Amino acid sequence: MKTLKNHTLIYDNECPMCALYSKGFTKCGMLDEDGREAFTEISVRNKNLVDFNRAKNEIALVDHDHNTVIYGLDSLLTIIGSSFPLLEKIARIQPLYWFFKKLYSFVSYNRKQIIPSAKDNTDQSCVPDFNLKYRLGYITFVVLFSAYILNLYSAKMGLNFTSSFLRELTVCLGQILWQTFFLKAYLKEKIWDYLGNMMTVSLIGTLLLIPALFTNFNLIFYLVYFAIVVLTMFLEHLRRCKILKLNYFPTISWILFRMTALAIIILLTI
């Protein structure tokens, strides 16, 4: 493993994903032991070189030999390329480079909705700019993925439920419209942050349902398992609302929609 010498990665120390992979670079020797620096503890030397606002959106890599800075995907490819030159060359081939750059931005601009932090409200926090395109992309991804998995799981639950991707898609979209309608006036500028966090709650629930798809138990098991997943989502929704400094109103509205949607589905299947 070849170490990239005299470089410092400025990582978001309030983002578990960023902290994990940046620590991995130093642990495996791809960067010096002191080759990473927390964004909130950035030294004066590095702060004078780094575009502070851009570094909130794209992780910065400082080259101390040339006093230059690169950002985002290029930072990661430079570190990886030092140890694995072939991987970097492949990743820089179009259209792979375009795809990885979009994927990086997709994750980076939504990372605070994927894993929020209670310390994101200060001027020094490494919070990315709001990007409507990537937020809508994240919401769309979760809606389609959740509708697909729920479509598969509904057949396991019995109760005359039949697989219907359109039904599950309608429920997922209905949740967004319901919450937006009832909460927009209350949430104001926080509406997009809330919707992003709400979709992550849905994504967590969806991921928890996947293991059950590969089992073959009785109806009671799938009903109880589904109830446990919903309870987990409820608690996670409460936790995220607390981080966003919101009261119980969004969670109450969220539960009311879930109960209303379930009641309508049951009525339609009787």
Side-chain angles (χ1 to χ4, degrees):
M1 196 78 69
K2 184 179 178 182
T3 303
L4 184 63
K5 299 287 186 179
N6 298 319
H7 283 70
T8 303
L9 189 68
I10 311 300
Y11 73 101
D12 179 4
N13 52 307
E14 292 162 359
C15 169
M17 290 184 294
C18 303
L20 183 63
Y21 74 70
S22 62
K23 186 176 182 179
F25 286 147
T26 59
K27 284 291 186 181
C28 69
M30 297 174 76
L31 282 173
D32 291 317
E33 287 187 9
D34 59 350
R36 67 173 189 150
E37 189 172 271
F39 184 91
T40 57
E41 301 168 3
I42 189 170
S43 64
V44 174
R45 176 191 180 189
N46 287 328
K47 192 171 183 179
N48 289 334
L49 292 172
V50 170
D51 182 332
F52 202 65
N53 291 322
R54 184 177 179 182
K56 292 182 178 182
N57 302 322
E58 303 174 90
I59 195 166
L61 180 66
V62 182
D63 180 348
H64 296 295
D65 288 332
H66 302 93
N67 288 327
T68 57
V69 185
I70 55 176
Y71 299 87
L73 178 63
D74 290 324
S75 296
L76 303 184
L77 291 181
T78 298
I79 296 170
I80 294 169
S82 178
S83 298
F84 307 100
L86 181 60
L87 285 181
E88 181 186 7
K89 287 180 181 179
I90 293 173
R92 290 189 182 277
I93 296 173
Q94 295 291 359
L96 281 177
Y97 180 77
W98 175 89
F99 171 76
F100 288 131
K101 196 171 182 64
K102 293 296 182 183
L103 181 61
Y104 177 90
S105 296
F106 177 82
V107 174
S108 181
Y109 280 108
N110 290 298
R111 69 182 188 274
K112 297 299 183 180
Q113 284 64 54
I114 297 172
I115 306 179
S117 169
K119 301 177 181 179
D120 288 339
N121 298 314
T122 68
D123 293 336
Q124 299 302 312
S125 297
C126 188
V127 178
D129 296 329
F130 170 66
N131 187 297
L132 180 61
K133 177 177 66 175
Y134 288 112
R135 187 60 48 79
L136 289 174
Y138 180 61
I139 291 172
T140 301
F141 164 74
V142 176
V143 164
L144 293 175
F145 182 58
S146 296
Y148 174 72
I149 297 301
L150 284 167
N151 166 53
L152 298 178
Y153 193 86
S154 61
K156 295 270 191 181
M157 294 180 65
L159 300 176
N160 294 322
F161 285 1
T162 56
S163 296
S164 174
F165 176 77
L166 181 59
R167 180 190 65 217
E168 303 303 340
L169 181 63
T170 302
V171 171
C172 292
L173 291 174
Q175 177 85 83
I176 296 170
L177 295 175
W178 174 290
Q179 292 295 80
T180 301
F181 178 78
F182 285 105
L183 300 177
K184 195 172 190 311
Y186 165 62
L187 294 175
K188 297 178 182 177
E189 71 277 0
K190 287 186 177 181
I191 184 66
W192 286 107
D193 285 340
Y194 168 76
L195 289 176
N197 276 277
M198 184 185 76
M199 297 317 295
T200 302
V201 171
S202 295
L203 180 60
I204 291 170
T206 300
L207 293 174
L208 289 175
L209 289 177
I210 292 177
L213 296 177
F214 299 96
T215 63
N216 187 25
F217 298 112
N218 59 32
L219 171 62
I220 300 299
F221 170 84
Y222 295 108
L223 290 175
V224 171
Y225 187 82
F226 187 76
I228 293 173
V229 169
V230 172
L231 176 60
T232 302
M233 293 170 65
F234 169 74
L235 295 175
E236 180 63 12
H237 192 278
L238 276 177
R239 187 185 75 86
R240 287 170 179 262
C241 283
K242 184 178 180 180
I243 290 174
L244 291 173
K245 301 186 185 308
L246 303 175
N247 60 23
Y248 293 114
F249 184 46
T251 303
I252 292 171
S253 177
W254 181 81
I255 285 292
L256 282 175
F257 174 82
R258 295 266 165 179
M259 293 173 63
T260 302
L262 181 59
I264 292 174
I265 291 172
I266 292 175
L267 287 173
L268 291 177
T269 56
I270 295 177

